Amino acid sequence: MHSPRPSSLPIMKRSRPTPPPTPPLSTAKSTAPIFKKPKSKATIPPKWVPLGLSLSELSLPLTFPTGQTFRWKQTGPLQYTGVVDSYLISLKHLQDGEVSYCFHQHATTGDENNARVALLDFLNIRISLSEIWEVFSASDPRFAELARHLGGARVLRQDPLECLIQFLCSSNNNITRITKMVNFISSLGNCLGTVEGFEFYQFPGLERLAMVSEDELREAGFGYRAKYIIGTVNALQSKPGGGTEWLASLRNLDLHEVIDALSTLPGVGPKVAACIALFSLDQHHAIPVDTHVWQIATRYLLPELAGARLTPRLCSRVADAFVSKYGKYAGWAQTLLFIAELPSQKALLPSQFCSAKEKKAAKSKNGKTCSAN
């Protein structure tokens, strides 16, 4: 398989999500989500059904609020709600860590079966997280130790159009603004219902997106990204057979072909292309290289490059180093290593995972170093 070859476009800085720390299941407390609307109860009493996934295969707090998607909302302690295809679904952890789901709409048994199939596909359930982590852990003691504390961080298999538009919003941006932009785009679709004060929408298709003007997006706070979104929608509409089909067809190509194809769209550089490839197009060894991944690489994979300036050529070298170390699921390994660097998660790790600078800062703040876990 080919490793990603970033072009000469400028390096972009990945927005670092700041999700709430992952609490023990027995002591979890609700965290107030962003953009909370006036509370209203769901119209359908929840009927929770076991999904058949353990905590080792899916940790909701390590999967949804960590920068893969900006459409899922925390709607309760260890509970997240979002839309898959046209289905409004909530997921939550039970006390034993098992995952259950709730399908919110009135539906026939057939609809519920279809929703479950779509959900499992979205969760990339064909890939056993515990199996690939066992392989990584056998060759990397540090990964093995991290996996003990951050189990269940999955890579999602999102709808390609939805993923593309979200990451166009993410370029040189922060989580609050990205979420606001994605909420605006989402609201152009059909409303599917309200859960815990949040309104949820089916993501709009290309035809609906084509009805939005650049001025409307700029007025909604998109800035220069408005031009890229409009340009990308127009480019997709001109694709033979339609843009949705074209995006889906990229799943059948090699990674370097996927990166090259996506990079022809307005506003899509190598890092955004790699995110879309990893999170929606089955390119499991795609590595979105930004300054944070660069820091991880120079500490643990390429220490000889510490102090060098990140360039497009070095982006390619970093991606190659991850693939050489972790193989065809290198993007999954990189995702865990990235999550482990988030301040909210690092605070839960044993002290050996903290740098001397971080230990000193933590001690001065609360008299402790890192977690005693």
Side-chain angles (χ1 to χ4, degrees):
M1 302 180 78
H2 297 274
S3 60
R5 303 289 181 191
S7 68
S8 60
L9 295 175
I11 304 302
M12 291 188 295
K13 184 176 180 181
R14 173 184 279 184
S15 299
R16 290 174 68 89
T18 54
T22 308
L25 291 174
S26 60
T27 60
K29 294 183 179 180
S30 177
T31 303
I34 302 173
F35 304 116
K36 195 166 185 180
K37 297 176 180 291
K39 283 191 175 182
S40 63
K41 295 182 180 179
T43 56
I44 308 299
K47 172 185 152 185
W48 293 96
V49 181
L51 192 57
L53 289 178
S54 66
L55 184 62
S56 63
E57 285 294 332
L58 174 62
S59 166
L60 302 177
L62 292 178
T63 299
F64 287 111
T66 53
Q68 294 188 56
T69 178
F70 305 93
R71 296 234 301 147
W72 283 67
K73 313 296 184 185
Q74 185 171 359
T75 51
L78 295 174
Q79 177 179 315
Y80 294 82
T81 302
V83 175
V84 179
D85 292 344
S86 60
Y87 305 109
L88 176 56
I89 300 173
S90 288
L91 295 167
K92 73 175 178 179
H93 284 294
L94 305 179
Q95 285 300 310
D96 61 1
E98 293 287 326
V99 180
S100 290
Y101 76 97
C102 172
F103 177 47
H104 287 283
Q105 292 115 314
H106 283 296
T108 65
T109 301
D111 286 333
E112 292 189 0
N113 289 339
N114 291 338
R116 183 185 177 93
V117 169
L119 175 61
L120 292 175
D121 181 72
F122 171 75
L123 293 173
N124 243 336
I125 207 60
R126 291 171 295 179
I127 296 172
S128 169
L129 188 61
S130 57
E131 287 181 8
I132 62 174
W133 279 19
E134 184 178 352
V135 173
F136 298 156
S137 298
S139 61
D140 185 347
R142 181 175 181 276
F143 188 99
E145 186 66 15
L146 283 173
R148 287 181 57 243
H149 300 279
L150 300 175
R154 293 194 72 82
V155 169
L156 300 171
R157 189 177 193 254
Q158 301 178 61
D159 173 79
L161 176 62
E162 181 177 332
C163 188
L164 166 60
I165 299 299
Q166 288 187 84
F167 278 98
L168 282 175
C169 295
S170 75
S171 63
N172 296 313
N173 212 347
N174 60 63
I175 295 299
T176 300
R177 290 191 65 206
I178 296 169
T179 304
K180 185 176 181 180
M181 292 176 187
V182 171
N183 286 347
F184 178 86
I185 293 287
S186 300
S187 70
L188 302 174
N190 295 325
C191 186
L192 299 177
T194 302
V195 179
E196 291 300 320
F198 291 102
E199 291 180 351
F200 291 90
Y201 300 83
Q202 183 177 3
F203 199 79
L206 274 177
E207 289 187 3
R208 178 66 184 92
L209 291 173
M211 297 169 63
V212 182
S213 69
E214 182 178 336
D215 287 342
E216 287 179 274
L217 292 180
R218 287 186 177 275
E219 289 175 6
F222 283 69
Y224 68 87
R225 301 167 197 84
K227 177 178 65 176
Y228 293 145
I229 291 172
I230 297 300
T232 289
V233 169
N234 291 338
L236 290 174
Q237 284 193 306
S238 69
K239 297 292 183 184
T244 302
E245 290 76 9
W246 179 80
L247 284 171
S249 72
L250 299 182
R251 287 174 169 167
N252 302 318
L253 302 181
D254 289 333
L255 178 56
H256 77 280
E257 296 175 300
V258 172
I259 298 296
D260 289 345
L262 290 172
S263 295
T264 64
L265 299 173
V268 178
K271 179 257 182 173
V272 166
C275 287
I276 298 163
L278 176 61
F279 300 138
S280 71
L281 296 175
D282 298 339
Q283 304 294 328
H284 304 297
H285 63 300
I287 306 296
V289 180
D290 60 11
T291 56
H292 308 303
V293 174
W294 166 251
Q295 291 166 5
I296 294 170
T298 54
R299 281 202 300 269
Y300 308 114
L301 299 177
L302 299 167
E304 67 274 16
L305 297 181
R309 185 176 68 87
L310 182 57
T311 64
R313 183 180 64 81
L314 289 183
C315 280
S316 180
R317 187 169 171 184
V318 167
D320 287 343
F322 272 97
V323 174
S324 177
K325 178 77 172 178
Y326 298 107
K328 65 180 182 179
Y329 291 106
W332 291 59
Q334 177 266 324
T335 297
L336 174 72
L337 297 175
F338 176 79
I339 291 171
E341 295 296 313
L342 299 176
S344 55
Q345 302 305 334
K346 205 160 196 174
L348 301 176
L349 295 173
S351 60
Q352 66 263 31
F353 292 106
C354 297
S355 66
K357 182 178 180 180
E358 289 165 335
K359 290 178 182 178
K360 184 177 180 180
K363 187 173 184 179
S364 65
K365 182 177 181 181
N366 55 22
K368 300 180 181 180
T369 52
C370 288
S371 171
N373 292 347

